[in-house]
Structures are given as C-alpha cells and as structure tokens.
Amino acid sequence: MVNSKSIREYRNSPLNGMGYLFRKNSILRKSPITTTQTRTTSFGAYAQVGYFPHAVIDMVPKELEFAYRYAFVDPNDALRSDVLREHTVAANWFFAMHRNKLTLDYSHLTQPGFTPEDRVRLQWDVSF
C-alpha cells in the first residue's frame, strides 16, 4: 500500500522524471499469543524502487519497468532468531498501466535456522 507521504516524497524528488518510483510502508502490531496469553510485538516493513529505463534510453520500450523490493518481518521482537527477510528483483511490462501488466520476478527469502528459499514467478495482473 502506498501512503500519501511516499507519493509526495517521489513527486518532490530530484529523481522524478528520470523514471524512478519509490514506495515504502511499515507496520507495528502488539497482540497476545493465544497459547500463553502473553503480549508480543511484531514489526515489519518494506521498501521498493522501480525504474523505467526509457526515461534515459529512448530505444528501451516505455512499457518496461525494472524493480527491486526489500522486506522483513519480525513476528516476535523478544526472539532474535525469527526475522524473515525478502529480496526481490522484477521486470514489469505494462499493457494498460497497473490495470493490465505482466510481471516476472525472482525472490530470495531467508529466515535464521532454515534453508534459504528462491522463487521465480510469472504473473499477469488484470483489473476491471
């Protein structure tokens, strides 16, 4: 979800007009653990940046965007070994802005104590 502050920061950024888009968000949640009835604090955030290379290289199609996303979630701040992290790179092809686009992305997911996981996804988004 993009908040108005992120949009304002992008519009006022010197990168505006150069093909860059930046989004960020975070969430803090305090909730009881149902098995122990103790309270825990969870925290997560993400930041992503997109780049339309057509802004500086005319021969690149204007429908093509490259993107990078970093995200993490700490489900219980009392534990130091449970933070999940995500690094994703993507290529988007826009047929009709965000209402019709094709996305190919690669994600690298990590959590301490577990084998890292790599994912490749091809997704077609259509909105009516």
Side-chain angles (χ1 to χ4, degrees):
M1 173 179 287
V2 179
N3 60 35
S4 60
K5 183 178 179 188
S6 294
I7 293 170
R8 241 186 347 269
E9 288 172 359
Y10 169 70
R11 286 185 182 152
N12 296 330
S13 165
L15 299 176
N16 186 9
M18 294 177 57
Y20 287 96
L21 176 62
F22 178 74
R23 295 178 180 171
K24 64 183 184 334
N25 202 356
S26 62
I27 187 167
L28 177 65
R29 178 179 177 189
K30 295 185 179 201
S31 60
I33 299 175
T34 56
T35 56
T36 62
Q37 292 303 310
T38 57
R39 293 193 69 74
T40 185
T41 300
S42 302
F43 180 72
Y46 78 87
Q48 62 189 41
V49 62
Y51 180 67
F52 289 90
H54 177 75
V56 293
I57 305 170
D58 288 337
M59 62 190 283
V60 175
K62 64 181 178 182
E63 297 86 2
L64 180 64
E65 176 194 34
F66 295 107
Y68 172 77
R69 170 186 165 105
Y70 171 76
F72 75 92
V73 64
D74 183 354
N76 185 346
D77 69 342
L79 300 175
R80 295 287 178 222
S81 61
D82 66 340
V83 178
L84 296 96
R85 299 182 192 282
E86 169 199 344
H87 295 272
T88 298
V89 292
N92 294 306
W93 186 271
F94 293 91
F95 299 102
M97 309 234 352
H98 281 283
R99 298 182 56 80
N100 187 353
K101 68 178 178 178
L102 187 64
T103 301
L104 174 64
D105 64 28
Y106 164 77
S107 297
H108 182 72
L109 311 166
T110 60
Q111 180 179 7
F114 291 89
T115 302
E117 184 176 340
D118 296 312
R119 296 180 184 174
V120 176
R121 174 177 60 174
L122 179 64
Q123 178 175 308
W124 182 18
D125 291 324
V126 179
S127 299
F128 300 93

